[in-house]
Amino acid sequence: MILVTGGAGFIGGNFVLDWLKVPGNEGVINLDKLTYAGNLTTLASLKDDSRHIFVHGDIGDKALVSKLLHEHQPRAIVNFAAESHVDRSIHGPAEFVATNIVGTFNLLECARDYWNGLDDSAKKAFRFHHVSTDEVYGSLSATDPAFTETNSYEPNSPYSASKAASDHLVRAWFHTYGFPVVTTNCSNNYGPYHFPEKLVPLVILNALNGKPLPIYGDGQQIRDWLYVGDHCAAIREVLSKGELGETYNIGGWNEKANIDVVKTICTILDELKPRADGKAYVDQITYVKDRPGHDRRYAIDASKVERELGWRPVETFDTGIRKTVQWYLDNPVWIEGVVSGSYRDWLSKQYN
Ligand code: NAD
Ligand code: DAU
């Protein structure tokens, strides 16, 4: 077995679904707290699959995590569980400290205790894979080179600071205790099952619902976009071949300004689902107040993971974003399940 945390969220959910499609892969114990971002509908196709064991719980619950580890004896842990939305971290950072820092600490401690008790060969094979973000490196100017693994950490938001702290804990557990870790720092993901608080799914759903498409500030902030299936493939490579104690940057080689991402989505929707009034979706674009402390540019240099482990993204932005828009058009039931009262409360808190 492997233990996946946060496997009912966007990337974790995609990872579990993809993992179980790979012939020969072990089963998955999926530990998830089911916060507003966790969604069991994402995992509905695994309902009758005995290789998937879902456990509702918190990575910070040491008794539960220890019990799961001793009962199922996983050969790896992949830690996706986190509070992940920058805007929410600005409104309320406490949950980010609780899960991303204290939760990761508790998970590390339980895992280390379990690992210490393994026999030599199981000990050698064991991996703790920590899934992190490019945001820990801070913000780039237009002319700075892309982030490499040796960039210093300069997090600017409560979210990125909490992820940076978790990365430091993971690193220290390797250096101090010899605990077998690998860390990946990835750029912005997009794709199926993405909770519509984030830019790409928010714009798709707002466009279809005739609502404004909110662009923070001047819309010229740059992100490096990666299709989620490519991120999941990279994690599988790093988990199986990554050097212990190393970090790997994962990115799509796809730097785009936010306004261009939004215009691309509008153009695809104009083609796949034209507005009833014959107008263009770009007419719904609305510039709104900027995010406080908004990082200007992220860019990932993903050459280390390509050179050392042979991973490169398969999707271009054009192919990935088209698939994504089509997925949202084809999955109204999933959408219906996530746009609940609490989602509407968030929209009014953030955008009104
Ligand atoms: P998400 O918010 O969609 O999902 C997070 C999942 O973690 C949810 O299912 C939630 O219920 C669960 N969770 C939260 N707190 C928990 C806790 N205390 N115990 C157990 N489960 C808990 O996030 P995501 O976008 O899928 O991101 C997954 C990971 O990847 C995060 O660590 C994030 O920092 C990292 N990451 C995300 C991106 C991105 O673009 N989304 C890019 C790089 C890295
Ligand atoms: O870089 C990796 C990170 O990408 C992950 O670590 C985070 O978990 C993930 O949420 C994402 O963070 P961002 O803040 O970059 O993603 P978000 O979708 O919230 O915003 C993308 C860009 O779009 C950002 O510059 C802010 C802008 N934006 C966002 C929203 C929600 C808008 O202009 N309008 C919006 O309504």
Side-chain angles (χ1 to χ4, degrees), residues 9-11 32-33 35 38 58-59 80 84 99 132 159 163 189:
F10 165 47
I11 307 175
D32 196 295
K33 190 178 171 185
T35 66
D58 193 321
I59 56 165
F80 293 95
S84 69
T99 283
S132 192
Y159 163 70
K163 290 297 290 185
N189 284 214

Side-chain angles (χ1 to χ4, degrees), residues 84 133-135 159 188 199 214 216 223 258 291 294 351:
S84 69
T133 172
D134 59 357
E135 300 202 9
Y159 163 70
N188 284 62
L199 181 70
Y216 297 163
R223 299 291 182 265
N258 292 339
R291 171 185 281 174
H294 199 171
Y351 296 99

Side-chain angles (χ1 to χ4, degrees), residues 175-237:
H175 283 276
T176 303
Y177 305 114
F179 184 62
V181 306
V182 281
T183 296
T184 43
N185 293 87
C186 188
S187 62
N188 284 62
N189 284 214
Y190 66 97
Y193 306 110
H194 203 180
F195 191 77
E197 63 188 353
K198 309 282 168 62
L199 181 70
V200 166
L202 180 87
V203 163
I204 298 172
L205 297 199
N206 278 14
L208 293 171
N209 291 322
K211 293 185 183 160
L213 311 180
I215 308 283
Y216 297 163
D218 64 2
Q220 293 301 328
Q221 301 81 8
I222 290 174
R223 299 291 182 265
D224 172 356
W225 294 92
L226 178 69
Y227 189 70
V228 65
D230 278 325
H231 185 190
C232 294
I235 293 172
R236 293 196 299 275
E237 286 305 309

Side-chain angles (χ1 to χ4, degrees), residues 5-7 31-37 57-61 65 79-85 89 92-108 128 130-131 158-159 161-167 169-170:
T5 72
L31 173 64
D32 196 295
K33 190 178 171 185
L34 295 180
T35 66
Y36 76 91
D58 193 321
I59 56 165
D61 181 345
V65 173
N79 182 30
F80 293 95
E83 289 294 332
S84 69
H85 191 34
S89 81
E95 278 302 310
F96 289 73
V97 172
T99 283
N100 300 1
I101 307 178
V102 183
T104 303
F105 163 72
N106 284 333
L107 184 66
L108 278 168
F128 183 99
H130 183 59
V131 180
Y159 163 70
S162 68
K163 290 297 290 185
S166 69
D167 292 8
L169 291 172
V170 169

